[in-house]
Amino acid sequence: MNTPLAPSLHSRAFGAYLGLAVGDALGATVEFMLPQEIRLQYGTHREIVGGGWLKLKAGRVTDDTEMSLALGRALLAGGGWDARAAADSFVDWLKSRPIDVGNTCRRGIRRYMLDGSLSGPPCEGDAGNGAAMRNLPLVLATLHDGDAFRQQTLEQAHLTHHHPLSDAGTLALGEMTRVLLLGGDAAGCRPAVDALLAAQPKFRFDPYPGRASGYIIDTLQTVLHQFFNTRSFEALLVDTVNCGEDADTTGAIAGMLGGALYGADAIPRRWIARLDAHIVAEIRLQVDGLLRLAGFSRLAG
């Protein structure tokens, strides 16, 4: 299979991955802050300036982007999905002493290091957003095959998160991203969202409940509310991260969806210029490689 790659697909794919990193870097500054605290300190937070509780250098990304890159490396090195290779890549990442690691991700990786298991038992404490934030490389690599996407997404998620809400949220975000990458718009994402709400009504986001924590329900309610009520990449990202709380992850996920919808050219240049050039370069290489795994060959940017 060697389907020609339309420029719009590459722009959306690169935009999704780059948007994830930009949203991560923008949101990290205000992670764990409440909206009123953000307003007092920044007014409206709209620039990548670093700082925050992690005291980051401007443009530094966190675990959201780093775990995505680790998953992408495993997919590319193995020529496709292999759960053990993905787990090994997460181990390598954890051993690199990352600046931030979610508790559930850390627990799952350490479980694998101790007993080699690729999934823990279902756990009420696993309903966080850690599986959803890092799934984009797998979405890209399986863009030609919906069944593979769904099966591999759950295997990827269960490396660290084994909970029906995490599963549902991760799958729904992936389905939305697939629709957008293949040329769809926000309206085209509604069936995936409607299916999520029918199966798991707790995710209902209208009216917006106003929480943006790392709980997968709060994360999706925030991202979906902003996604369907903004009309540009910048507005989507700014409105999302100014909800505070787990702002690096809500920002990363919103950036992923926004990049897939609006394309790479819609991402403000001033934000991209703040990112580590090595991160941008690896994202570009991974996008090309992951789309090749999906059966697409790049013809134009």
Side-chain angles (χ1 to χ4, degrees):
M1 179 178 180
N2 191 27
T3 306
L5 173 62
S8 60
L9 173 55
H10 187 270
S11 175
R12 288 176 182 238
F14 184 47
Y17 215 148
L18 193 59
L20 185 150
V22 163
D24 180 9
L26 182 70
T29 300
V30 293
E31 186 182 14
F32 299 138
M33 296 178 70
L34 296 176
Q36 56 268 36
E37 294 172 326
I38 297 171
R39 287 194 295 272
L40 284 171
Q41 185 165 344
Y42 297 100
T44 299
H45 175 56
R46 57 175 67 251
E47 303 301 335
I48 294 178
V49 294
W53 76 279
L54 290 169
K55 297 179 173 57
L56 297 172
K57 178 182 177 181
R60 175 77 183 269
V61 296
T62 72
D63 52 341
D64 303 81
T65 305
E66 290 173 351
M67 291 196 80
S68 298
L69 291 169
L71 177 59
R73 289 178 201 127
L75 288 163
L76 292 170
W81 172 247
D82 180 280
R84 196 162 300 280
D88 287 338
S89 191
F90 290 156
V91 168
D92 290 342
W93 169 74
L94 186 62
K95 288 181 176 179
S96 75
R97 297 189 173 185
I99 194 166
D100 188 26
V101 185
N103 290 333
T104 308
C105 290
R106 185 193 301 273
R107 184 174 67 243
I109 297 168
R110 284 182 168 172
R111 184 208 67 246
Y112 171 74
M113 293 169 69
L114 288 171
D115 65 19
S117 60
L118 296 172
S119 175
C123 176
E124 282 303 309
D126 285 6
N129 55 23
M133 73 186 189
R134 65 182 187 234
N135 201 47
L136 177 59
L138 201 151
V139 174
L140 294 172
T142 59
L143 196 53
H144 66 297
D145 189 338
D147 290 338
F149 155 73
R150 286 180 282 276
Q151 175 190 339
Q152 294 171 21
T153 289
L154 292 179
E155 292 179 9
Q156 183 281 121
H158 292 175
L159 291 171
T160 57
H161 291 65
H162 197 165
H163 192 284
L165 293 175
S166 170
D167 291 350
T170 304
L171 285 168
L173 286 170
E175 294 286 5
M176 291 176 66
T177 307
R178 287 168 57 81
V179 168
L180 296 170
L181 290 170
L182 294 171
D185 57 11
C189 292
R190 281 287 182 178
V193 175
D194 290 344
L196 171 67
L197 298 182
Q200 298 284 359
K202 291 180 179 180
F203 282 98
R204 194 166 302 280
F205 59 95
D206 186 15
Y208 175 49
R211 290 300 310 276
S213 78
Y215 181 38
I216 189 66
I217 288 179
D218 293 346
T219 296
L220 258 72
Q221 286 173 334
T222 297
V223 170
L224 294 177
H225 170 74
Q226 303 298 352
F227 177 75
F228 288 112
N229 287 282
T230 53
R231 294 294 177 268
S232 71
F233 180 91
E234 183 166 359
L236 169 58
L237 214 52
V238 168
D239 288 0
T240 298
V241 301
N242 279 274
C243 292
E245 299 193 64
D246 200 19
D248 59 332
T249 300
T250 58
I253 294 173
M256 173 186 75
L257 292 177
L261 173 60
Y262 299 109
D265 289 343
I267 302 175
R269 298 295 100 183
R270 71 184 193 277
W271 287 349
I272 298 173
R274 284 294 215 175
L275 293 179
D276 184 329
H278 294 95
I279 295 290
V280 176
E282 183 171 7
I283 286 172
R284 189 182 297 277
L285 288 173
Q286 283 203 12
V287 167
D288 290 347
L290 293 166
L291 289 177
R292 282 195 295 271
L293 283 181
F296 298 94
S297 59
R298 181 180 176 188
L299 297 183

